[in-house]
Amino acid sequence: MAEQDGGGRAGPPPGLEQLLALQELDVRLDRLRHRRAHLDERAALEALTGRLEALDVEQRRVAEERSALLARESELESETAAVVARAAAIEDRARGGAASSYRDQEAMAQEVEALGRRRAELESLELSVLEQGEPLEAELARIAEARGRLEPELEAARSALAEAEAEVDAEAAGALARRRELAGIVPAELLAEYERLRARLGGVGVARLDRGRCSGCHLALPATEVDRLRHAPAGELAHCEQCGRILVP
Ligand SMILES: [Zn+2]
């Protein structure tokens, strides 16, 4: 019956040449997707974002340390205030003649003296807390400054990435438009089989038979198989015996 097909060589099913062109576009689109995901500009932005995150972590740590010191400082302040008030109250009572005996007077004087020592102790603690806070303030200022320098760098890196992405996207848009055209020409069933094979076989679902070799797996087909493919009935879809890809004779 092949003789009715114009009397010449039996032709492969329609749409195979278009499918090969579509496969080429898919490979190109895959490369573009890969390029888009691995842009140098993306790595540069990620590095800067990483630096910003590290600064944020440092800032939080120092700020926590500083707020612990501030809490300690306000504790010391209120304890000092209590000591001062207590000493003043005792002195008031002493002046008001509350001490009935010399021993009471002596006891009051001793307590005021002890409170005075405690006050000096508290004030010295407070001073040391303030001193501990100074390097933290400096650290926070340094972090804020580093953040300030990083912001414009981030801004520049973001727009560089957007530009590089747009360039890849523009190239992909052209390939996608052409692919859509081809996908409209290739018979739906053939296209579906191609997609299945492509998903399973590393992105390549159709190959050409080139000098007895499958261009998909690069293995030579047995001569008898090549001969059979060449003389296959019109419309019969061939597959590579070795890799299973659609084969275009
Ligand atoms: Zn093959």
Side-chain angles (χ1 to χ4, degrees), residues 207 214-219 221 240-245 247:
C214 162
S215 68
C217 62
H218 306 292
L219 291 171
L221 271 71
C240 170
E241 271 189 336
Q242 281 132 159
C243 67
R245 291 182 175 98
L247 206 49

mmCIF file of all heavy atoms in Angstrom, residues 207 214-219 221 240-245 247, ligand 1:
data_model
loop_
_atom_site.group_PDB
_atom_site.id
_atom_site.type_symbol
_atom_site.label_atom_id
_atom_site.label_comp_id
_atom_site.label_asym_id
_atom_site.label_seq_id
_atom_site.Cartn_x
_atom_site.Cartn_y
_atom_site.Cartn_z
ATOM 1 N N ALA A 207 14.608 12.629 18.398
ATOM 2 C CA ALA A 207 15.974 12.684 17.873
ATOM 3 C C ALA A 207 15.962 12.371 16.388
ATOM 4 O O ALA A 207 15.023 11.760 15.869
ATOM 5 C CB ALA A 207 16.857 11.689 18.622
ATOM 6 N N CYS A 214 21.408 7.412 16.458
ATOM 7 C CA CYS A 214 20.342 8.201 17.077
ATOM 8 C C CYS A 214 21.005 9.440 17.679
ATOM 9 O O CYS A 214 21.946 9.323 18.464
ATOM 10 C CB CYS A 214 19.655 7.374 18.172
ATOM 11 S SG CYS A 214 18.695 8.366 19.335
ATOM 12 N N SER A 215 20.548 10.598 17.286
ATOM 13 C CA SER A 215 21.180 11.843 17.800
ATOM 14 C C SER A 215 20.788 12.104 19.253
ATOM 15 O O SER A 215 21.330 13.002 19.887
ATOM 16 C CB SER A 215 20.810 13.028 16.920
ATOM 17 O OG SER A 215 19.431 13.321 17.052
ATOM 18 N N GLY A 216 19.866 11.285 19.796
ATOM 19 C CA GLY A 216 19.485 11.430 21.204
ATOM 20 C C GLY A 216 20.442 10.705 22.132
ATOM 21 O O GLY A 216 20.941 11.275 23.093
ATOM 22 N N CYS A 217 20.738 9.439 21.827
ATOM 23 C CA CYS A 217 21.610 8.659 22.704
ATOM 24 C C CYS A 217 22.976 8.402 22.065
ATOM 25 O O CYS A 217 23.859 7.832 22.700
ATOM 26 C CB CYS A 217 20.943 7.338 23.083
ATOM 27 S SG CYS A 217 20.622 6.268 21.667
ATOM 28 N N HIS A 218 23.128 8.833 20.785
ATOM 29 C CA HIS A 218 24.398 8.750 20.055
ATOM 30 C C HIS A 218 24.860 7.309 19.808
ATOM 31 O O HIS A 218 26.028 7.080 19.510
ATOM 32 C CB HIS A 218 25.502 9.556 20.764
ATOM 33 C CG HIS A 218 25.084 10.970 21.010
ATOM 34 N ND1 HIS A 218 24.909 11.872 19.992
ATOM 35 C CD2 HIS A 218 24.739 11.623 22.148
ATOM 36 C CE1 HIS A 218 24.489 13.029 20.499
ATOM 37 N NE2 HIS A 218 24.376 12.900 21.803
ATOM 38 N N LEU A 219 23.952 6.368 19.951
ATOM 39 C CA LEU A 219 24.334 4.973 19.676
ATOM 40 C C LEU A 219 23.945 4.633 18.233
ATOM 41 O O LEU A 219 22.958 5.153 17.714
ATOM 42 C CB LEU A 219 23.628 4.029 20.640
ATOM 43 C CG LEU A 219 24.092 4.112 22.097
ATOM 44 C CD1 LEU A 219 23.174 3.299 22.993
ATOM 45 C CD2 LEU A 219 25.535 3.633 22.237
ATOM 46 N N LEU A 221 22.472 2.426 15.361
ATOM 47 C CA LEU A 221 21.406 1.419 15.273
ATOM 48 C C LEU A 221 21.886 0.291 14.356
ATOM 49 O O LEU A 221 22.656 0.540 13.422
ATOM 50 C CB LEU A 221 20.137 2.044 14.690
ATOM 51 C CG LEU A 221 19.173 2.674 15.698
ATOM 52 C CD1 LEU A 221 19.755 3.946 16.276
ATOM 53 C CD2 LEU A 221 17.829 2.941 15.065
ATOM 54 N N CYS A 240 13.706 5.094 18.870
ATOM 55 C CA CYS A 240 15.043 4.528 18.999
ATOM 56 C C CYS A 240 14.920 3.287 19.881
ATOM 57 O O CYS A 240 14.329 3.348 20.963
ATOM 58 C CB CYS A 240 15.995 5.548 19.611
ATOM 59 S SG CYS A 240 17.587 4.836 20.065
ATOM 60 N N GLU A 241 15.493 2.196 19.406
ATOM 61 C CA GLU A 241 15.432 0.919 20.155
ATOM 62 C C GLU A 241 16.133 1.047 21.504
ATOM 63 O O GLU A 241 15.816 0.356 22.453
ATOM 64 C CB GLU A 241 16.180 -0.154 19.360
ATOM 65 C CG GLU A 241 15.344 -0.898 18.370
ATOM 66 C CD GLU A 241 16.133 -2.086 17.809
ATOM 67 O OE1 GLU A 241 17.385 -2.028 17.849
ATOM 68 O OE2 GLU A 241 15.498 -3.043 17.363
ATOM 69 N N GLN A 242 17.164 1.927 21.528
ATOM 70 C CA GLN A 242 18.016 2.001 22.709
ATOM 71 C C GLN A 242 17.520 2.980 23.778
ATOM 72 O O GLN A 242 17.540 2.658 24.941
ATOM 73 C CB GLN A 242 19.442 2.353 22.288
ATOM 74 C CG GLN A 242 20.136 1.137 21.764
ATOM 75 C CD GLN A 242 20.858 1.374 20.437
ATOM 76 O OE1 GLN A 242 21.726 0.622 20.124
ATOM 77 N NE2 GLN A 242 20.490 2.396 19.686
ATOM 78 N N CYS A 243 17.124 4.178 23.340
ATOM 79 C CA CYS A 243 16.741 5.167 24.350
ATOM 80 C C CYS A 243 15.240 5.421 24.395
ATOM 81 O O CYS A 243 14.743 6.029 25.342
ATOM 82 C CB CYS A 243 17.500 6.480 24.133
ATOM 83 S SG CYS A 243 17.035 7.351 22.613
ATOM 84 N N GLY A 244 14.534 4.963 23.376
ATOM 85 C CA GLY A 244 13.078 5.101 23.396
ATOM 86 C C GLY A 244 12.550 6.412 22.845
ATOM 87 O O GLY A 244 11.343 6.638 22.794
ATOM 88 N N ARG A 245 13.488 7.296 22.441
ATOM 89 C CA ARG A 245 13.038 8.590 21.911
ATOM 90 C C ARG A 245 12.383 8.415 20.535
ATOM 91 O O ARG A 245 12.681 7.454 19.812
ATOM 92 C CB ARG A 245 14.225 9.547 21.776
ATOM 93 C CG ARG A 245 14.770 9.981 23.114
ATOM 94 C CD ARG A 245 15.909 10.979 22.937
ATOM 95 N NE ARG A 245 16.325 11.476 24.252
ATOM 96 C CZ ARG A 245 17.367 10.997 24.935
ATOM 97 N NH1 ARG A 245 18.101 10.026 24.441
ATOM 98 N NH2 ARG A 245 17.667 11.498 26.118
ATOM 99 N N LEU A 247 12.129 8.822 16.843
ATOM 100 C CA LEU A 247 13.239 8.913 15.917
ATOM 101 C C LEU A 247 12.723 9.432 14.575
ATOM 102 O O LEU A 247 11.752 8.923 14.014
ATOM 103 C CB LEU A 247 13.862 7.513 15.760
ATOM 104 C CG LEU A 247 15.324 7.439 15.363
ATOM 105 C CD1 LEU A 247 16.199 8.332 16.223
ATOM 106 C CD2 LEU A 247 15.804 6.000 15.434
HETATM 107 ZN ZN ZN B 1 18.459 6.783 20.983
#
